[in-house]
Amino acid sequence: MMLLGMGPDGHIASLFPNRAQTSYKGKDWVLPISNSPKPPPERITMTLPVINASKHVVMVATGSSKAEIVHRTLETQCLPGAIPAQLLAPTDGVLTWMVDANSGSMLDPLEWENWKAYPRNNLKN
């Protein structure tokens, strides 16, 4: 199981928006990060292919400060890499979102079954 949080810009692990590491598709499991937009500037991160190889990815978001990015991640179509959390898609596993009332306050899940409005959704009954 991979347990992740999400930054206010939608970054996961240390995969930040519009950075080369976010689109990495090679075989390395870990990548160096330099000049991170958030301290510390030097760090390492697991790659997205490693994260998406997990049998179960759990994304946790809490608090009203995450409401806008949770909404943008789950209900807005963005360019690939603009919101790294949108790239979570376990290849042979399950993705579970855990949000509290505050971080989920901008969501409108009753509309998610409208496939024209939400073509990326993969809801299973």
Side-chain angles (χ1 to χ4, degrees):
M1 175 175 21
M2 180 78 60
L3 178 63
L4 297 170
M6 177 173 55
D9 58 357
H11 81 267
I12 53 172
S14 286
L15 299 171
F16 292 95
N18 303 312
R19 298 278 179 121
Q21 295 89 351
T22 301
S23 61
Y24 179 80
K25 303 240 187 294
K27 295 187 183 234
D28 292 327
W29 288 25
V30 177
L31 295 175
I33 304 293
S34 58
N35 197 21
S36 167
K38 178 180 176 179
E42 307 292 323
R43 49 174 79 196
I44 61 172
T45 187
M46 285 181 280
T47 64
L48 197 56
V50 167
I51 294 170
N52 282 330
S54 300
K55 290 290 182 193
H56 195 169
V57 177
V58 179
M59 171 58 72
V60 179
T62 61
S64 58
S65 66
K66 299 289 174 73
E68 182 180 351
I69 195 61
V70 167
H71 163 69
R72 288 179 57 216
T73 301
L74 295 175
E75 297 186 340
T76 304
Q77 187 92 16
C78 293
L79 292 173
I83 299 178
Q86 285 187 336
L87 301 174
L88 291 175
T91 52
D92 192 27
V94 176
L95 171 61
T96 301
W97 278 81
M98 300 180 86
V99 299
D100 65 4
N102 290 326
S103 63
S105 65
M106 295 178 68
L107 296 176
D108 190 8
L110 297 178
E111 285 294 313
W112 290 359
E113 292 183 23
N114 177 354
W115 65 271
K116 287 184 180 181
Y118 300 101
R120 291 184 312 113
N121 89 29
N122 189 9
L123 293 178
K124 296 179 179 151
N125 296 329

